[in-house]
Amino acid sequence: MGFIIMMVVLFGLMYFMMIRPQMKRQKEHRAMVAALGKGDEVVTNGGLAGRIAEMGESFVTVEVAEGVQIKVQRAAIAQVLPKGTLKSS
């Protein structure tokens, strides 16, 4: 009986310490990707920073320098930067 209680407690601890926070991060990332728009300044998972030039269904074209554009998956956008961040650097 004590073993079963210990297993339930361990599973509950695992849920609240690992599974629940990961699900929350995934939900926030999905909401951020859904809210992307043309002109947003973003950072990709690879560390490239740029401004969104075009939006597609599953791909985004990011302008990393004047005249240099790359196409990345929407899910590869790691962070949206505050407006004007790229002009200061």
Side-chain angles (χ1 to χ4, degrees), residues 19-37:
I19 298 171
R20 191 166 177 249
Q22 180 64 27
M23 288 173 35
K24 183 178 176 185
R25 273 192 298 275
Q26 285 176 345
K27 185 178 179 183
E28 290 171 353
H29 185 260
R30 268 188 252 118
M32 184 221 24
V33 168
L36 288 175

Side-chain angles (χ1 to χ4, degrees), residues 70-89:
I70 60 170
K71 191 172 274 199
V72 297
Q73 288 182 325
R74 288 181 89 128
I77 304 296
Q79 181 180 7
V80 177
L81 299 172
K83 296 283 185 192
T85 302
L86 295 178
K87 288 185 180 182
S88 64
S89 49

Side-chain angles (χ1 to χ4, degrees), residues 15-81:
Y15 176 78
F16 283 106
M17 298 293 280
M18 294 173 64
I19 298 171
R20 191 166 177 249
Q22 180 64 27
M23 288 173 35
K24 183 178 176 185
R25 273 192 298 275
Q26 285 176 345
K27 185 178 179 183
E28 290 171 353
H29 185 260
R30 268 188 252 118
M32 184 221 24
V33 168
L36 288 175
K38 187 175 178 180
D40 285 346
E41 296 175 356
V42 296
V43 176
T44 66
N45 286 336
L48 292 172
R51 187 172 288 109
I52 295 178
E54 293 179 30
M55 298 285 296
E57 190 71 26
S58 59
F59 289 94
V60 175
T61 302
V62 179
E63 186 174 17
V64 293
E66 194 171 323
V68 180
Q69 295 183 350
I70 60 170
K71 191 172 274 199
V72 297
Q73 288 182 325
R74 288 181 89 128
I77 304 296
Q79 181 180 7
V80 177
L81 299 172

